[in-house]
Amino acid sequence: MADIVEVRGLVKRFGDLVAVDRVEFMIADGETFGLLGPNGAGKTTTISMISCLLEPTEGEIVVAGHSINKEPTAVKSSLGVVPQEIALYPTLSAAENLAFWGRMYGLSGTRLKKAVDDALELAGLADRSRERIEKYSGGMKRRINIAAGILHRPKVLLMDEPTVGIDPQSRNHILETVKDLNASGMTVLYTSHYMEEVEYLCDRIAIMDHGKIIAMGTLNELRDVVGGMDVVAVTVSEVSDRIVAAANAIDGVEGVNQADGKMEVLTPSSGSILGRLVTTLESEGAHVTSVTVTEPNLESVFLHLTGKSLRD
Ligand SMILES: Nc1ncnc2c1ncn2[C@@H]1O[C@H](COP(=O)(O)OP(=O)(O)O)[C@@H](O)[C@H]1O
Ligand SMILES: [Mg+2]
């Protein structure tokens, strides 16, 4: 698949601060790509440079074959941008606000009307489109932000932490909207400091900290950073060499550790071995009292790489 976003050697300095430090990534056409990092990691600064709002100190960005330096207009028309806050006119209705943004993208007449109707439908707010924006909840305004970003059917949608500080219902709606947009062929760059969101949405993820990408890959590739294995902790009535050997002999078991009455079974896929593991241990005369599966997640990866938690 061709890359629709290419970022090479991207640097942004604010005085002495290096907010973005030699960032490189490629996003394939049709992908949902996540930029995961804590506050201050450099996510917004990166997105602002891709969307031509901020000039890079160094580096190259190409969107849909157009360089941001040479063809910023072509870049802008390929992009939809959903910042955390957009200017909405509080005394105008949602439909009127969207029509305003649509005209900014050069839409008019029946094309504008259809674009606004489609966007309202997608935001799940078609039935409230005549209400003034000032009556909307924070989550509804965020959904209108997204609607505004996709009015012109961009090839690539940039979303900057679109679910921060909103109610769970709007949050779920936004996550499903991202899935739908991606399924309709839109490439999405999604930034967040919530690992569950990027785990749920993204084909590939770059983990960012202090302006640098510290790891990048699919969720499974990133889990590999911390071993790529499930750990099944089994508590048994007694642990003997014979029982450990029996567990080790199961197809799909990569290794077994034993420690004070417990066994830890390493496996690439706990789901396919759990049943056999328990019956094998029981048939060897060991009584299994508990089985717990733990799986490395992006939090463990971040912790492993930086020594700190994503939420700090
Ligand atoms: N306009 C600016 N002037 C000076 N420093 C800035 C500016 N914008 C962002 N920064 C700093 O750059 C770093 C990265 O910020 P940002 O890109 O907003 O991070 P994130 O979006 O990941 O929270 C932070 O240390 C922030 O304080
Ligand atoms: Mg930000």
Side-chain angles (χ1 to χ4, degrees):
M1 236 188 295
D3 291 321
I4 194 159
V5 177
E6 305 165 53
V7 175
R8 292 189 189 86
L10 190 64
V11 174
K12 183 66 189 182
R13 290 195 198 93
F14 295 110
D16 287 342
L17 177 83
V18 188
V20 173
D21 193 357
R22 283 164 291 166
V23 159
E24 308 226 347
F25 57 85
M26 306 284 151
I27 307 177
D29 195 0
E31 225 176 6
T32 298
F33 186 86
L35 210 48
L36 175 71
N39 284 332
K43 304 181 297 296
T44 298
T45 307
T46 301
I47 285 221
S48 302
M49 290 189 280
I50 298 172
S51 53
C52 307
L53 291 171
L54 201 60
E55 203 177 322
T57 310
E58 289 171 28
E60 187 191 21
I61 300 173
V62 177
V63 178
H66 307 289
S67 152
I68 60 159
N69 298 318
K70 294 176 204 132
E71 303 162 274
T73 311
V75 168
K76 283 182 206 161
S77 66
S78 309
L79 286 177
V81 185
V82 183
Q84 276 186 15
E85 304 291 340
I86 63 165
L88 295 171
Y89 290 95
T91 57
L92 295 184
S93 71
E96 287 163 339
N97 269 283
L98 289 177
F100 169 81
W101 283 102
R103 279 184 218 105
M104 302 267 283
Y105 289 125
L107 298 170
S108 61
T110 49
R111 279 184 66 216
L112 175 63
K113 185 173 181 318
K114 175 153 183 5
V116 169
D117 288 347
D118 288 351
L120 282 164
E121 195 61 49
L122 188 115
L125 293 170
D127 52 336
R128 303 191 54 177
S129 65
R130 305 284 150 209
E131 274 177 54
R132 291 171 169 211
I133 285 282
E134 63 194 356
K135 301 239 167 73
Y136 274 28
S137 71
M140 289 161 70
K141 284 183 195 156
R142 245 355 130 63
R143 280 148 67 179
I144 291 297
N145 271 7
I146 296 171
I150 52 124
L151 279 169
H152 58 308
R153 289 273 137 194
K155 292 195 176 100
V156 181
L157 186 63
L158 311 179
M159 306 183 85
D160 196 6
E161 305 219 43
T163 63
V164 168
I166 61 171
D167 58 283
Q169 194 194 341
S170 284
R171 177 175 189 247
N172 289 339
H173 190 278
I174 286 173
L175 296 180
E176 294 316 311
T177 303
V178 175
K179 286 253 180 204
D180 291 347
L181 288 170
N182 182 246
S184 79
M186 214 176 272
T187 303
V188 180
L189 170 55
Y190 189 95
T191 88
S192 183
H193 66 275
Y194 298 125
M195 63 145 192
E196 306 87 352
E197 292 187 359
V198 296
E199 283 189 355
Y200 177 64
L201 292 174
C202 299
D203 300 309
R204 283 189 312 130
I205 299 150
I207 302 182
M208 207 174 174
D209 190 37
H210 294 302
K212 291 193 169 74
I213 290 181
I214 56 173
M216 180 158 54
T218 62
L219 181 57
N220 283 333
E221 285 167 352
L222 289 170
R223 282 184 179 142
D224 280 348
V225 172
V226 284
M229 299 265 174
D230 292 341
V231 179
V232 184
V234 190
T235 314
V236 281
S237 52
E238 57 143 331
V239 182
S240 66
D241 289 346
R242 188 172 48 87
I243 285 169
V244 169
N248 243 324
I250 296 170
D251 211 6
V253 170
E254 296 277 348
V256 181
N257 295 319
Q258 51 174 312
D260 47 35
K262 270 197 181 168
M263 296 165 57
E264 282 192 347
V265 178
L266 274 178
T267 172
S269 157
S270 59
S272 61
I273 64 137
L274 273 186
R276 245 171 319 142
L277 179 62
V278 172
T279 46
T280 303
L281 296 177
E282 298 268 354
S283 72
E284 291 293 328
H287 179 56
V288 177
T289 52
S290 82
V291 178
T292 315
V293 181
T294 58
E295 180 178 66
N297 57 27
L298 291 178
E299 183 75 47
S300 2
V301 176
F302 192 78
L303 189 67
H304 176 75
L305 293 173
T306 67
K308 60 183 186 180
S309 161
L310 257 174
R311 280 142 214 271
D312 284 351

